[in-house]
């Protein structure tokens, strides 16, 4: 039986009565029938239950589920050389201004409004714009309010770790299930190049003393969380020439202390942001340098490669930001929680997830049975749902996959300015897109015009809409088989 193709729109759109539309398009999906386990194949069932709807802790979940941040914690107890406190916390966000800082009561209103309207919402995170553990009273008050009014949302926190140990027990009592610590070094000599000062125990420390205290508190906090069974993710900012090689050591340390994930993010450095690194010309890594380091870290702590370095007030699927739809002036003073859309959406996702997993497994089987050798770098335009369902001209980012006989691996994303503006192609943006797609063999998208397709081809990058609305892995395995001259039907027979 051929499985139906369900676009993200059909997953997420609702009728005026609040019913989810699940109308399926018929088409060329090669996925087989359902029936396999809904658990991830490489995660134990208890852990999978914790991560299966967290878009940051599970790459698979980020195709379906969304997070929101509330900017309730502006105060910070350290200075990072990549941060200007006028901007978002670079631990969890790109350096753009937070639209509005919120009180805990305002944050609750916003969470209810978003939960009522965004069916994909599964996680509330507090990621600054300062430090959520240092600005603890506001963080705790926000979590308490949300837990009492929207009990079916996961709670998540991000911190620099300095004030973490004193709050670990409260985090556990409040059922905060996921914690991120930004750890950029385990050697204070490197730390002093990243942190000019910290504020700890009513005192300001600088240089090696500051870095040593920060390091010890980060390790202690991580160990305490692991002892309590709270899932931890370590964020590290990759700063070329400062800590890039050193992150291999960081990866070992955090793995030994029970970290679930390690997320290596590129330094964002721009003089316009007014940061020390921006003003002194410290560059960030390019996409290939980041990938090369991530590849070297394979085999250590499990890697996250799908981080979007979101704002401290981001709303929506990773890679999109619907925050401007939910500013306080658009939210009624009295708003009552109604989880109808989210619950209906979850039922739909549960149904199609097995189908997606079966398609992935089939794709992996296909690749494994080929005699071909070689690697294919594929850029995918997607709006979510695990499908190739975005037009080339509308894409704000491309998800990058690496296919080889060993399987299909998500290896990152590349942000771009969309080619299409008001129905017209923007040549200047196409130049930027081609540069961003350096090293890519082929682009998969739902639609593409002849002009951008030809320009890409001139740059040595092929593009096709032939797999539009297919599952990503299904398309890539068919493509790989074609590329390397194997007959797909024979290979999978
Ligand atoms: Fe927010 Fe962070 Fe929780 Fe996610 S973000 S507090 S773990 S809910 Fe996610 Fe955004 Fe990357 Fe952070 S993509 S910056 S990893
Ligand atoms: Fe900025 Fe966050 Fe570092 Fe504080 S912890 S200085 S807010 S990046």
């Amino acid at each position: 039986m051929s499985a139906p193709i369900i676009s993200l729109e059909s997953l997420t759109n609702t009728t005026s009565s609040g019913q989810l539309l699940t109308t399926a398009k018929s088409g060329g999906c090669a996925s087989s029938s359902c029936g396999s386990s809904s658990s991830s194949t490489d995660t134990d069932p208890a852990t999978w239950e914790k991560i299966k709807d967290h878009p940051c802790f599970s790459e698979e979940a980020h195709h379906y589920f969304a997070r929101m941040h509330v900017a309730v914690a502006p105060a910070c107890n350290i200075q990072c050389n990549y941060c200007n406190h006028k901007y978002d916390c670079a631990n969890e966000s790109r350096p753009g201004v937070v639209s509005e800082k919120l009180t805990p009561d305002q944050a609750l209103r916003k969470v209810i409004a978003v939960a009522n309207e965004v069916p994909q919402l599964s996680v509330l995170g507090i990621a600054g714009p300062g430090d959520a553990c240092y600005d603890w009273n506001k963080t705790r008050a926000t979590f308490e309010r949300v837990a009492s009014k929207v009990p079916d949302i996961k709670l998540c926190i991000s911190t620099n770790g300095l004030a973490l140990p004193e709050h670990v027990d409260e985090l556990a009592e409040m059922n905060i299930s996921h914690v991120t610590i930004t750890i950029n070094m385990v050697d204070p000599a490197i730390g002093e190049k990243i942190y000019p000062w910290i504020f700890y125990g009513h005192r300001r420390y600088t240089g090696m003393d500051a870095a040593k205290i920060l390091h010890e508190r980060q390790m202690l906090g991580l160990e305490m969380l692991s002892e309590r069974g709270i899932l931890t993710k370590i964020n590290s900012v990759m700063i070329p020439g400062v800590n890039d090689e050193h992150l291999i050591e960081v990866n070992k340390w955090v793995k030994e202390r029970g970290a679930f994930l390690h997320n290596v993010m590129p330094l964002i450095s721009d003089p316009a942001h007014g940061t020390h690194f921006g003003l002194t010309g410290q560059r960030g890594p390019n996409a290939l340098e980041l990938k090369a380091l991530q590849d070297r870290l394979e085999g250590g702590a499990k890697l996250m490669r799908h981080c979007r370095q979101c704002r401290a007030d981001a709303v929506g699927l990773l890679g999109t930001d619907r925050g401007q739809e939910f500013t306080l002036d658009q939210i009624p003073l009295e708003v009552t929680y109604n989880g109808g859309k989210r619950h209906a959406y979850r039922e739909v996702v549960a149904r199609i997830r097995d189908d997606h997993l079966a398609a992935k497994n089939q794709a992996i089987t296909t690749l494994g049975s080929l005699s071909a050798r070689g690697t294919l770098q594929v850029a995918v335009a997607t709006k979510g749902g695990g499908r190739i369902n975005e037009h080339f001209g509308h894409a704000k980012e491309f998800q990058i996959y690496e296919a080889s006989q060993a399987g299909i691996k998500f290896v990152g994303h590349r942000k771009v300015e969309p080619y299409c503006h008001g129905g017209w192609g923007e040549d200047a943006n196409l130049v930027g897109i081609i540069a961003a797609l350096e090293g890519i063999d082929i682009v998969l998208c739902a639609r593409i015009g002849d002009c951008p397709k030809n320009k890409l081809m001139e740059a040595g990058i092929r593009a096709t809409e032939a797999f539009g609305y297919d599952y990503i892995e299904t398309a890539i395995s068919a493509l790989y088989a074609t590329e390397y001259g194997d007959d797909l039907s024979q290979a999978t027979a």
Side-chain angles (χ1 to χ4, degrees), residues 355-482:
D355 184 52
H356 188 186
L357 186 64
K360 270 188 189 176
N361 289 340
Q362 178 63 51
I364 291 163
T365 305
T366 298
L367 291 182
S369 63
L370 296 173
S371 57
R373 293 280 187 277
T375 303
L376 205 57
Q377 304 290 335
V378 185
V380 176
T382 175
K383 288 193 273 193
R387 305 262 186 193
I388 300 160
N389 53 9
E390 179 65 290
H391 292 204
F392 176 83
H394 299 164
K396 292 181 179 154
E397 65 169 37
F398 290 89
Q399 296 193 0
I400 309 301
Y401 290 80
E402 188 173 88
S404 69
Q405 201 196 24
I408 298 167
K409 194 163 70 173
F410 177 95
V411 292
H413 71 284
R414 312 257 180 103
K415 284 186 182 161
V416 296
E417 284 298 318
Y419 170 61
C420 218
H421 274 274
W424 299 96
E426 186 62 62
D427 284 343
N429 289 358
L430 189 54
V431 172
I433 294 169
I434 289 170
L437 293 178
E438 182 187 1
I440 297 301
D441 296 305
I442 188 158
V443 175
L444 303 180
C445 52
R447 292 290 299 275
I448 184 168
D450 286 341
C451 178
K453 196 173 179 174
N454 291 337
K455 288 267 172 55
L456 283 165
M457 185 62 96
E458 286 168 19
I461 303 167
R462 289 163 292 150
T464 178
E465 55 188 32
F467 300 97
Y469 301 98
D470 279 359
Y471 280 128
I472 294 166
E473 295 84 1
T474 303
I476 293 176
S477 69
L479 188 68
Y480 186 87
T482 308

Side-chain angles (χ1 to χ4, degrees), residues 54-57 67-69 91-94 123-127 155-158 178-180 233 235 263 265 304 306-311 314 318-319:
H54 195 306
C56 304
F57 279 68
R67 51 66 182 115
M68 74 174 290
H69 291 162
N91 284 339
E92 279 292 341
S93 52
R94 67 184 161 76
V123 178
L124 167 68
I126 299 184
L155 303 177
C156 189
I157 189 172
S158 170
H178 299 71
V179 176
T180 293
K233 172 167 68 62
N235 281 1
N263 171 28
M265 313 183 295
M304 173 189 190
H306 62 284
C307 176
R308 301 303 200 276
Q309 293 174 278
C310 21
R311 295 169 57 100
L318 303 191

